[in-house]
Amino acid sequence: MPQADRERSATERDAMARALQLALHGPRGVNPQVGAVILSPAGEVLAEGWHRGAGTPHAEIDALTNLAAAHGPAAARGATAIVTLEPCNHTGRTGPCAEALLDAGIARVVYAVDDPGVLSGGGGAHLRRGGVDVEAGLLRAEGTALLDSWLTVQRLGRPHVTVKWAQSLDGRAAASDGTSQWITGPLARADVHARRAAADAIVVGTGTLLADDPALTARRGDGTLYDHQPRPVVVGTRAVPQEAAVRQHPRPFLQDEGDDLVDLLGRLREFGAQRVFIEGGPRLASSFVRDGLVDELLVYLAPTLLGGERLALGDLGVTTIADQRRLTVSDVRRLGDDLLVVAHPDLPAKEED
């Protein structure tokens, strides 16, 4: 590779790393977190921008606006736009970014991740047709990691769903009298709270809410709240008591009858939820598993025996071994005396042509 190309490659990688950092300034929600950096033909940073949420200018437009304010409206001509996500190619609340880049005179566009949207995708091809030099996939892995939750929503049409439960070695989630606090130890519980803080909604059934009175907050070891708190969701028809701890949650809880879990996930997506954390109890967890709505299972195993009938999962519709729900284990880790097993449902095998 010629020296000039090597220098450009290194400059663009640095600019993409910066754009990924800028993207984190934007909120996680219905829209993706996107960052943009505009470079001069000599590789100097001319302007930066990021997307600040639904209805606001996209990262490319934000960067172009900042560029015009600092250097004049003609400064984009011949410049390079570095963007974490392929520029959009449709008109929503804002106009298509691909067209805006063309109009501004941008000569080269480099982006990390392809836009999977049927309507919004295709911006790269549109730019190429307009004579712009386009490169896709720079720091793709890092860009995909940044947009993991949003990309999952685009692929599935619903939020990513994690189901978590704690159980004894003999598969029980509670003792015969219904008590379950605590089966696991402090390290396992701290891990659960850290994962709650990464979720946008936390869902619990009324049975568990009435039995355990969970606060459904994400708390650090010292009891303080994480900065990000998942929205609490209560599933079931029984009334939530006025003195319930969930009523003290920093965010108002949503109650749903639970007769249509697909509809519930759809409404949570509309609220901006990308990751949903199912806390239980067994009936609710079983419903999500039975309906094929689970993307990740977190099973915390405690070295204890409880016996009795209070199983961690109920009926899954498995009446014969041929119907068993096979899983792929992606991680097993020790948390004090407990074990965490992370597993994912196996995808159906593709039929041969």
Side-chain angles (χ1 to χ4, degrees):
M1 179 186 295
Q3 178 67 22
D5 289 344
R6 284 198 297 269
E7 290 177 356
R8 183 177 75 171
S9 177
T11 299
E12 291 181 350
R13 286 180 67 88
D14 290 344
M16 183 64 77
R18 173 58 180 165
L20 290 167
Q21 293 176 342
L22 292 169
L24 293 173
H25 292 315
R28 191 175 68 183
V30 175
N31 296 94
Q33 294 171 296
V34 183
V37 174
I38 297 179
L39 300 176
S40 72
E44 299 170 337
V45 175
L46 296 176
E48 300 177 338
W50 65 88
H51 184 46
R52 291 168 170 78
T56 66
H58 288 188
E60 302 94 317
I61 308 303
D62 188 43
L64 287 173
T65 301
N66 293 335
L67 175 65
H71 302 283
R77 299 207 170 274
T80 295
I82 309 292
V83 193
T84 56
L85 179 65
E86 179 183 13
C88 68
N89 195 37
H90 81 302
T91 299
R93 296 187 186 182
T94 59
C97 293
E99 195 63 35
L101 292 168
L102 281 173
D103 292 343
I106 291 290
R108 177 171 164 81
V109 172
V110 180
Y111 64 86
V113 180
D114 295 313
D115 188 331
V118 175
L119 296 177
S120 58
H126 182 70
L127 286 163
R128 289 188 184 96
R129 289 192 295 269
V132 176
D133 180 24
V134 178
E135 179 180 337
L138 180 63
L139 299 188
R140 187 189 302 276
E142 293 84 346
T144 300
L146 168 72
L147 294 172
D148 176 58
S149 297
W150 181 81
L151 290 170
T152 297
V153 172
Q154 308 314 302
R155 176 173 57 85
L156 299 175
R158 60 163 176 80
H160 179 280
V161 174
T162 294
V163 169
K164 162 265 173 183
W165 69 80
Q167 67 172 59
S168 61
L169 284 183
D170 55 346
R172 270 62 182 177
S176 296
D177 65 354
T179 56
S180 60
Q181 297 179 340
W182 299 104
I183 291 177
T184 54
L187 290 182
R189 297 199 295 275
D191 186 78
V192 170
H193 280 276
R195 293 174 187 271
R196 283 184 182 182
D200 302 305
I202 181 169
V203 185
V204 68
T206 51
T208 296
L209 183 134
L210 294 173
D212 296 341
D213 193 25
L216 301 183
T217 52
R219 302 183 297 278
R220 302 183 182 88
D222 61 3
T224 59
L225 298 181
Y226 279 97
D227 294 338
H228 177 74
Q229 291 294 314
R231 180 173 184 173
V233 180
V234 180
V235 173
T237 57
R238 286 181 284 181
V240 176
Q242 289 299 318
E243 66 276 11
V246 72
R247 292 187 180 275
Q248 304 303 315
H249 195 286
R251 304 183 65 184
F253 73 90
L254 168 71
Q255 185 162 9
D256 183 89
E257 293 183 357
D259 54 351
D260 189 336
L261 297 180
V262 172
D263 178 71
L264 171 60
L265 290 175
R267 284 186 287 122
L268 291 177
R269 178 187 178 182
E270 292 176 358
F271 293 150
Q274 296 181 10
R275 302 190 72 87
V276 175
F277 200 75
I278 312 299
E279 280 273 1
R283 180 179 299 177
L284 183 65
S286 302
S287 295
F288 273 92
V289 174
R290 186 172 56 249
D291 291 354
L293 298 173
V294 178
D295 305 297
E296 179 182 56
L297 292 163
L298 304 176
V299 182
Y300 295 84
L301 293 169
T304 188
L305 302 173
L306 295 176
E309 299 179 352
R310 295 184 179 271
L311 295 172
L313 281 183
D315 179 25
L316 298 180
V318 176
T319 58
T320 179
I321 196 65
D323 297 333
Q324 63 184 297
R325 305 296 183 99
R326 298 294 302 180
L327 306 172
T328 297
V329 174
S330 60
D331 191 18
V332 178
R333 65 181 63 179
R334 186 159 185 168
L335 298 169
D337 292 331
D338 305 313
L339 290 179
L340 167 62
V341 178
V342 182
H344 305 269
D346 283 352
L347 296 175
K350 294 183 179 179
E351 295 183 2
E352 298 294 334
D353 294 333

